[in-house]
Amino acid sequence: MSVRLKLTLSYAGFLMVAGILLLAVVWVFLLRYVPDNDVILGPSGWIPNRGDLERAFVPKVVWMLGFLLLFGLAGGWILAGRMLAPLARITDATRVAAGGSLSHRIQLPGSRDEFRELADAFDAMLARLEAHVAEQQRFAANASHELRTPLAITKAVLDVARNDPDRDTSALIDRLQAVNTRAIDLTEALLLVSRAEQGSFARERVDLSLLAEEATETLLPLAEKHGVTIETSGDITPTVGSSALLLQLTMNLVHNAIVHNAHGYGTVWVKTHVRPTTVVLTVENTGEFLSPELVSTLTEPFQRGTQRIHSDHAGVGLGLAIVKTITEAHDGTLTLTPRAAGGLHISVELPQTPSAGIRTARA
């Protein structure tokens, strides 16, 4: 049976039970006190006995119960239909979404009852799902384009080597190795993004200050090569997450701050500090003046600032996109702000956890 039919039968049954109980009250508290024998008041008067009242009352009771049954079924069917009408709209929207149209919304009117809350929650889910699918499609298109470039270069290099056997192949091999390395880096970055988005990682207690120190020490030769100074400071910043992913996040931020800097005299500031309920990692660097419009696009995949950079440490265009994905996977917030003097200020805010058991960062 449908829910509407079940509610209709429930309404009608409840109404019948209420009618029967009312008649039982009349019988118990009224008819039972009427005598069975005739009561003669005089030559011209008498009082009906219990049998007379039952013969007069029972047919009317049957008709009344029949009317209550029909009224309960009809009224219950109408009331159930009105009550379940919002659920029908939600069901229709679900079918539309299942057919692939994620732009459809229920937008249920009326007071904020249980159906309205369900419809609003469903609309919010569709909005998030639509945005996620659009982002995935855009990411897949960009990834396909980026992977096609090294493959095309590889094919061209191999064609040159095959068509010109006398050509010095050492330069071609070096070029092929560089292109292959770039394709491997891009593939590993794509896998890292997928792993972070799925949340398939073990969580442990992590101190961001130690990760900032490790990332700084690892990338110090690159900073010296570019003539960039790195200054690290801050407090113990305990949080919970994947140590490997958070280290990758810190490495990407520091690497990005070194590469996109004023080479020869630039500076990178890496700081950690604690707030009442969160911990914050900030990476700030000198460099070119950036507009707020440009900064808002830097976390999109394969965005490299004002221009595409072709160097040994240019990356694959997924640095800040990976940072954003890892931050969201750890329930954190990523904020990018252009510096008034040029360069970029990046802040990663993550939930704080008690610092017991986390070793102290070296000075």
Side-chain angles (χ1 to χ4, degrees):
M1 293 187 295
S2 65
V3 175
R4 186 176 185 181
L5 181 56
K6 292 179 181 179
L7 290 176
T8 300
L9 296 178
S10 300
Y11 295 152
F14 181 80
L15 193 58
M16 289 292 294
V17 171
I20 292 173
L21 290 177
L22 181 60
L23 294 175
V25 170
V26 173
W27 171 260
V28 172
F29 293 98
L30 181 61
L31 293 181
R32 64 180 298 186
Y33 296 107
V34 178
D36 294 332
N37 300 323
D38 294 338
V39 178
I40 306 300
L41 298 178
S44 60
W46 63 279
I47 297 176
N49 58 23
R50 185 184 301 174
D52 296 331
L53 292 178
E54 289 177 352
R55 285 189 295 272
F57 187 62
V58 169
K60 304 301 187 293
V61 169
V62 174
W63 281 101
M64 188 60 189
L65 291 177
F67 173 76
L68 287 178
L69 178 60
L70 295 177
F71 181 78
L73 291 174
W77 183 261
I78 296 174
L79 289 176
R82 291 176 60 88
M83 290 294 297
L84 296 177
L87 189 59
R89 291 187 57 173
I90 297 175
T91 303
D92 293 338
T94 304
R95 291 194 180 100
V96 173
S101 177
L102 299 179
S103 60
H104 179 73
R105 299 292 182 270
I106 302 173
Q107 295 181 346
L108 189 67
S111 59
R112 183 167 292 278
D113 55 9
E114 289 81 357
F115 286 119
R116 173 72 180 276
E117 292 180 357
L118 176 61
D120 291 346
F122 189 79
D123 285 343
M125 182 194 68
L126 284 179
R128 292 194 299 269
L129 186 59
E130 183 183 18
H132 180 71
V133 170
E135 182 178 353
Q136 290 296 317
Q137 291 175 346
R138 184 171 59 253
F139 180 82
N142 291 335
S144 300
H145 175 74
E146 292 290 327
L147 284 172
R148 184 176 59 184
T149 300
L151 293 176
I153 296 176
T154 301
K155 181 178 181 299
V157 171
L158 294 175
D159 289 341
V160 170
R162 181 177 58 185
N163 297 329
D164 188 4
D166 298 330
R167 184 187 180 97
D168 182 13
T169 58
S170 59
L172 296 179
I173 293 175
D174 293 339
R175 177 61 172 166
L176 189 60
Q177 183 178 9
V179 173
N180 186 63
T181 301
R182 180 175 177 80
I184 293 175
D185 293 341
L186 178 57
T187 303
E188 291 179 348
L190 292 173
L191 292 175
L192 181 62
V193 170
S194 176
R195 177 188 172 196
E197 286 180 342
Q198 294 175 2
S200 56
F201 54 85
R203 296 178 181 269
E204 57 184 344
R205 302 171 68 87
V206 181
D207 182 4
L208 289 182
S209 63
L210 296 181
L211 300 184
E213 175 188 354
E214 183 176 350
T216 301
E217 292 177 354
T218 302
L219 295 173
L220 187 59
L222 177 63
E224 293 176 348
K225 178 181 178 180
H226 286 77
V228 174
T229 302
I230 303 180
E231 298 181 6
T232 305
S233 63
D235 307 320
I236 297 176
T237 47
T239 186
V240 173
S242 168
S243 177
L245 289 178
L246 291 176
L247 177 60
Q248 183 67 50
L249 176 148
T250 309
M251 292 280 290
N252 285 9
L253 289 178
V254 177
H255 181 277
N256 186 80
I258 294 173
V259 174
H260 301 279
N261 209 316
H263 293 180
Y265 59 91
T267 305
V268 175
W269 297 273
V270 182
K271 302 179 181 178
T272 57
H273 60 277
V274 181
R275 292 179 179 174
T277 59
T278 59
V279 295
V280 182
L281 167 68
T282 61
V283 178
E284 189 174 357
N285 68 305
T286 55
E288 299 181 2
F289 290 94
L290 303 175
S291 65
E293 294 77 13
L294 176 61
V295 170
S296 64
T297 66
L298 292 181
T299 56
E300 293 294 325
F302 309 108
Q303 295 291 328
R304 298 184 178 89
T306 56
Q307 59 183 353
R308 299 178 67 90
I309 300 174
H310 299 279
S311 67
D312 295 339
H313 300 280
V316 294
L318 287 172
L320 292 182
I322 293 176
V323 169
K324 178 182 177 182
T325 303
I326 295 176
T327 303
E328 293 176 348
H330 287 78
D331 302 322
T333 304
L334 175 66
T335 305
L336 280 69
T337 308
R339 298 179 69 246
L344 189 63
H345 178 279
I346 302 178
S347 172
V348 176
E349 188 171 0
L350 300 175
Q352 182 187 163
T353 188
S355 57
I358 297 182
R359 61 192 180 95
T360 305
R362 297 193 301 273

